[in-house]
Amino acid sequence: MKGGRTTVAEKILTNEAQHAVILHSLQNENLQEFRKNFLDLHPYDQASFFKEMEIEERAQVFEYLAPNEIAKMFENLQMDNWEYQTLFAKLLPDYVAETLANMSVDDAVDILNVLDKEQVESYLAIMDQPTTARVKALMHYEESTAGSIMTVDYISLSAEQKVETAMEILKREAPNAETIYYVYVVNEQKQLVGVVSLRSLIVSDNQMLIKEIMNDRIYSVSVSEDQEEVARKMQDYDFLALPVVDFQKRLLGIITIDDIVDVMQEEASEDYSKFAAVSNMDFVDQHPFSAAKKRLPWLIILLFLGMFTASLIGRFEKTLDQVAILAVFIPLIAGMAGNTGTQALAVAVRGIATGNIGKESSWKLIGREAGTGLITGTICGLLVMMVVYIWKSDFFLGMLVGISILGTLIVATIAGAIIPLIMHKFKIDPAVASGPFITTINDIISILIYFGMATMFMSYLTN
């Protein structure tokens, strides 16, 4: 420790030492010591530590902690679907149901949605009627929509209430609310008419009416709106929470910033998976057969595209027979096409995901990428032309490879930009135009350009 500051290494050492103490108390069945040290951890640290435990040690944790104590940890726990199913199958239904009932409704629903239908029904049957009703209200919303990530744990007020009354309601309901920084105002039909901040309530006179201090300029999202669009709005406007309404503008719930952070992480992970031509990100503990099942469809598609590329090269067999040296530069040209196409693809997909690319800016993006391809192609083409000329002492061969790279880079960058834009127009996720896919497409384009030009200028190459 230097100057009163704890270094990262010291923090890691402290956490490891603390975990060792907790694990030791668990292994020695020291109930009081385990409870004291484990419950002193932040719920996120509890969840991280829990994931590292062996199955037998996890079972002991459930013996030593009450459902209401472990609920917060479960709100921070991220596990694969089969892990939740396996874990809950070994616990008493009453214990699981009480744990879920003590969690935030939206977090509880996230877990219930990955369980077997029989498990879900058994847990809901044990919960009290109000909790069951709140859980079921969220479970029927379509996945990846605003309704699926919202919470019903919010506080609403009437426009005709006084500030004094509102503060009493806040004090009474705050412990069960997801957030109290924004309080939403509804009319008799439960329609959203305004929003008031906690700050405004605190500084206003107790006898003032809510309608006098509320803001009637409300930003809300539809219950069926895509979660990615919701995340974009919260990011653009720096909201801590966003109300969710139905088609009649009735307030159904709110989405808080912690849920949006999870959505952004989930979307980024999904896009990265698609870039790698995987249906979704494989977990380390996933069974090989399950992982292979998810990867095979893309691999089979790419396999046939690769076979088409091979057959394309076969069509230029005569050209290769006459000038065998052409084969040396196939990996170079195909690799350059794949790399530059993937770069353009990443820019386009990122622009679409962030909403920065609209109808007008689409052509601007294509033009910019074409210009980028022209500049990079010219520079790379000139460089490779000089290298080939010095290496093989053949000016026409160097010119052929250089011009091929120029044409390939221009076409590859345009293809990398235009393919995701077309897919987005037809309501297909542009991230599906993944790196391996665009690379294979550009392989075909580069082969056609390279061998097409080689065939045209064969007389110069064979002299």
Side-chain angles (χ1 to χ4, degrees):
M1 185 178 292
K2 298 179 181 179
R5 294 185 177 181
T6 304
T7 66
V8 174
E10 288 171 334
K11 285 181 179 179
I12 293 173
L13 186 62
T14 301
N15 288 340
E16 288 181 351
Q18 193 173 16
H19 287 182
V21 170
I22 296 173
L23 199 57
H24 182 267
S25 61
L26 189 66
Q27 292 169 344
N28 287 277
E29 300 182 357
N30 191 330
L31 173 62
Q32 296 303 322
E33 185 180 352
F34 170 79
R35 284 179 53 81
K36 178 184 180 302
N37 291 313
F38 188 82
L39 294 175
D40 279 346
L41 294 175
H42 186 277
Y44 174 80
D45 294 323
Q46 291 177 358
S48 300
F49 185 36
F50 181 82
K51 286 188 69 174
E52 296 173 3
M53 291 180 176
E54 300 294 335
I55 296 175
E56 297 78 10
E57 293 165 347
R58 289 180 179 182
Q60 275 186 276
V61 171
F62 292 116
E63 290 179 14
Y64 289 176
L65 298 177
N68 65 308
E69 293 173 325
I70 211 164
K72 285 295 180 185
M73 183 194 78
F74 265 76
E75 292 177 359
N76 291 270
L77 194 61
Q78 297 292 328
M79 296 197 300
D80 198 6
N81 297 1
W82 66 269
E83 288 184 287
Y84 280 116
Q85 293 168 3
T86 305
L87 183 66
F88 287 167
K90 296 180 179 180
L91 297 173
L92 292 174
D94 287 6
Y95 187 98
V96 177
E98 192 175 344
T99 300
L100 293 169
N102 278 280
M103 295 172 61
S104 298
V105 179
D106 54 330
D107 291 321
V109 169
D110 287 341
I111 293 177
L112 287 169
N113 280 332
V114 305
L115 301 179
D116 293 333
K117 187 176 180 180
E118 293 77 12
Q119 283 181 297
V120 174
E121 291 299 330
S122 66
Y123 300 145
L124 291 179
I126 297 170
M127 293 180 190
D128 60 83
Q129 190 58 39
T131 303
T132 302
R134 291 163 68 215
V135 169
K136 285 185 175 180
L138 290 185
M139 287 189 71
H140 74 273
Y141 291 113
E142 189 177 347
E143 190 178 358
S144 299
T145 62
S148 69
I149 60 172
M150 73 179 184
T151 178
V152 294
D153 294 329
Y154 64 90
I155 299 175
S156 62
L157 301 171
S158 167
E160 301 301 325
Q161 287 177 322
K162 293 182 179 180
V163 170
E164 183 179 27
T165 305
M167 291 302 292
E168 290 175 1
I169 294 172
L170 274 178
K171 290 177 181 178
R172 184 176 66 250
E173 298 186 11
N176 299 318
E178 188 84 6
T179 179
I180 60 171
Y181 298 112
Y182 295 132
V183 183
Y184 299 96
V185 186
V186 295
N187 59 19
E188 292 179 357
Q189 288 76 41
K190 300 298 181 183
Q191 293 173 316
L192 183 63
V193 295
V195 61
V196 59
S197 67
L198 179 61
R199 177 184 295 178
S200 297
L201 287 171
I202 292 173
V203 301
S204 298
D205 186 87
N206 284 340
Q207 299 307 308
M208 291 184 70
L209 297 176
I210 295 300
K211 65 181 179 182
E212 296 178 294
I213 64 170
M214 75 178 189
N215 186 350
D216 56 8
R217 288 183 59 193
I218 317 158
Y219 289 91
S220 62
V221 292
S222 168
V223 69
S224 59
E225 193 160 342
D226 187 85
Q227 63 179 17
E228 198 168 355
E229 184 61 31
V230 176
R232 190 177 299 131
K233 284 185 178 180
M234 289 193 74
Q235 184 179 16
D236 290 343
Y237 293 101
D238 292 329
F239 289 139
L240 293 177
L242 198 59
V244 180
V245 297
D246 63 11
F247 71 99
Q248 293 180 320
K249 300 300 179 184
R250 290 179 299 189
L251 182 61
L252 300 177
I254 64 171
I255 298 172
T256 52
I257 189 64
D258 60 315
D259 295 312
I260 290 302
V261 171
D262 292 339
V263 167
M264 293 172 73
Q265 182 180 1
E266 178 186 327
E267 294 290 342
S269 178
E270 183 181 347
D271 288 347
Y272 183 80
S273 299
K274 290 174 180 176
F275 260 73
V278 182
S279 58
N280 63 4
M281 191 61 68
D282 295 332
F283 287 86
V284 175
D285 297 331
Q286 195 175 55
H287 196 279
F289 284 106
S290 179
K293 183 181 177 182
K294 292 179 179 180
R295 298 182 191 186
L296 266 177
W298 266 112
L299 290 176
I300 291 171
I301 292 171
L302 294 172
L303 174 65
F304 280 101
L305 284 173
M307 290 172 66
F308 178 74
T309 306
S311 68
L312 198 62
I313 295 174
R315 288 180 177 271
F316 294 99
E317 188 175 351
K318 290 182 180 179
T319 304
L320 278 170
D321 285 341
Q322 295 180 57
V323 189
I325 190 65
L326 292 174
V328 173
F329 301 101
I330 294 175
L332 170 67
I333 294 174
M336 291 292 291
N339 291 336
T340 193
T342 303
Q343 288 174 340
L345 173 72
V347 172
V349 171
R350 175 61 182 165
I352 292 169
T354 57
N356 293 329
I357 296 178
K359 291 181 179 178
E360 296 179 1
S361 56
S362 295
W363 288 109
K364 186 177 179 181
L365 172 69
I366 295 169
R368 189 190 71 183
E369 289 303 320
T372 303
L374 176 62
I375 295 169
T376 56
T378 301
I379 295 171
C380 291
L382 288 171
L383 283 171
V384 79
M385 185 172 66
M386 287 188 292
V387 170
V388 173
Y389 176 68
I390 294 169
W391 178 26
K392 296 296 180 181
S393 301
D394 189 332
F395 175 75
F396 286 106
L397 178 61
M399 188 171 68
L400 169 66
V401 178
I403 294 173
S404 297
I405 284 183
L406 169 61
T408 294
L409 262 60
I410 294 173
V411 175
T413 51
I414 294 173
I418 205 168
I419 288 175
L421 291 174
I422 292 172
M423 297 182 82
H424 181 62
K425 185 176 179 64
F426 287 98
K427 308 298 181 184
I428 302 172
D429 190 344
V432 172
S434 58
F437 180 74
I438 199 72
T439 298
T440 308
I441 294 296
N442 282 333
D443 282 349
I444 296 171
I445 293 170
S446 63
I447 293 299
L448 284 171
I449 292 173
Y450 180 46
F451 281 108
M453 292 190 65
T455 304
M456 287 172 59
F457 295 102
M458 181 60 66
S459 58
Y460 295 98
L461 294 169
T462 53
N463 288 339

